[in-house]
Amino acid sequence: MLEYFGSLRLKMKVLASRIILNEIKKMPPGRAFSWRDLTGLSLDEPRIRAELARLAKRGEITRGGRGVYYVPSESWVGPVTLSDEQVVSKLLQQKRESDHAVFGNDRNEINRLIPTGGTLFYEMGLTTQVPARKEYKSSFAYSSPTLLVRQVQMEKYRDLSDTEVRAFLGLIGLKSIANENFEGVLQGFYEFLLSAHITCRRLRTIAALMGGLDGRRALTNLEIFESFLSRSKRSILEKEPLWDKED
């Protein structure tokens, strides 16, 4: 009897593996997938996860990140691996799907990527230095030689738009941008705020909402920035009437 059930369990594992592998073969090479993409196979989550790990160990699929797999596409130089951006995009999708199952929505205001450090400064036009390693913060973690995602408490940013978060983080880091003319950094920050329609009054409100060390640092740097505006006679009211409106 024990031999019978042992043999039956083995057959079920083999069958589950074949079902999953057949479904994976229908996917285009190079596409990132996770266990959630295979839930239509009438197999439970633990079994799908276990089979994916087993298939990866056997080399039939490739693990791109935690819970992320793919079948490499082929090129003339050999198999093409997933890019860090593809892996991170899939991890972000997984986090949103997981939260949707728990909370009933994707919580996109929390589950998003926010650039930090040199990546943020480069995207904002505050530096000409291309970061050797892209850096972001989010509700999950990921690390590779070329891309880093730090897991932080994203709830504090939930009421801020992406541009407002960038403006706030950029304001905090204004004085930390190395090897750049500081007047040029302030000018770049000014241009960013103008294009995003974010006022100094709004930045002050955000700094107060964030509080703590970051909030105090933002308020200190905001005084420096406003002094720059006054010194260079760039009146926000002259450049953009929106700045004079209540936020």
Side-chain angles (χ1 to χ4, degrees):
M1 183 65 72
L2 291 176
E3 291 182 1
Y4 170 77
F5 283 110
S7 175
L8 181 61
R9 281 196 295 269
L10 179 60
K11 289 179 180 178
M12 291 296 292
K13 283 184 179 180
V14 173
L15 179 60
S17 182
R18 287 177 178 174
I19 291 174
I20 291 173
L21 191 56
N22 287 338
E23 188 67 20
I24 291 172
K25 287 179 179 179
K26 298 176 184 178
M27 300 178 185
R31 173 191 166 186
F33 62 88
S34 70
W35 71 270
R36 290 183 181 275
D37 295 300
L38 301 168
T39 53
L41 299 178
S42 299
L43 297 172
D44 57 27
E45 175 188 345
R47 176 160 294 180
I48 296 175
R49 285 180 177 274
E51 290 304 323
L52 287 176
R54 192 173 290 112
L55 288 170
K57 190 174 182 179
R58 293 208 306 255
E60 296 188 65
I61 60 176
T62 302
R63 184 177 183 271
R66 185 177 181 182
V68 177
Y69 301 89
Y70 68 102
V71 177
S73 56
E74 294 291 332
S75 72
W76 66 276
V77 293
V80 179
T81 61
L82 284 183
S83 67
D84 288 320
E85 287 76 9
Q86 287 175 298
V87 175
V88 168
S89 176
K90 189 62 181 179
L91 289 172
L92 181 59
Q93 179 188 338
Q94 285 188 132
K95 189 66 172 67
R96 288 173 173 172
E97 291 174 347
S98 175
D99 278 8
H100 191 278
V102 175
F103 301 103
N105 64 77
D106 294 346
R107 302 209 304 168
N108 291 343
E109 71 281 1
I110 293 174
N111 296 320
R112 53 179 166 165
L113 284 175
I114 301 296
T116 62
T119 304
L120 172 68
F121 302 143
Y122 183 75
E123 288 186 7
M124 292 178 69
L126 306 185
T127 180
T128 57
Q129 293 184 344
V130 180
R133 190 187 196 192
K134 295 180 179 179
E135 296 182 22
Y136 299 88
K137 60 173 60 177
S138 190
S139 54
F140 64 92
Y142 177 79
S143 180
S144 78
T146 60
L147 195 151
L148 173 67
V149 180
R150 290 188 177 89
Q151 185 174 10
V152 301
Q153 292 294 327
M154 294 291 289
E155 283 79 1
K156 62 183 178 181
Y157 301 126
R158 66 183 309 155
D159 296 324
L160 304 180
S161 67
D162 284 350
T163 52
E164 287 177 330
V165 176
R166 283 168 168 78
F168 175 69
L169 296 178
L171 180 60
I172 293 173
L174 278 181
K175 293 193 293 184
S176 67
I177 304 176
N179 303 321
E180 296 287 343
N181 176 273
F182 191 54
E183 293 287 308
V185 170
L186 294 174
Q187 171 65 28
F189 188 64
Y190 168 75
E191 297 295 340
F192 175 84
L193 294 181
L194 275 183
S195 65
H197 303 307
I198 297 175
T199 69
C200 287
R201 185 184 295 114
R202 178 58 180 162
L203 282 178
R204 191 172 289 105
T205 299
I206 293 172
L209 288 172
M210 294 296 103
L213 179 60
D214 284 348
R216 293 194 296 274
R217 186 177 297 163
L219 289 173
T220 298
N221 288 350
L222 185 57
E223 290 181 3
I224 296 173
F225 176 65
E226 289 177 325
S227 176
F228 160 76
L229 292 179
S230 176
R231 185 172 64 254
S232 59
K233 297 182 180 179
R234 285 189 178 87
S235 171
I236 291 170
L237 303 183
E238 292 173 4
K239 288 282 186 178
E240 176 58 71
L242 180 69
W243 290 78
D244 197 31
K245 295 179 181 180
E246 289 294 330
D247 297 322

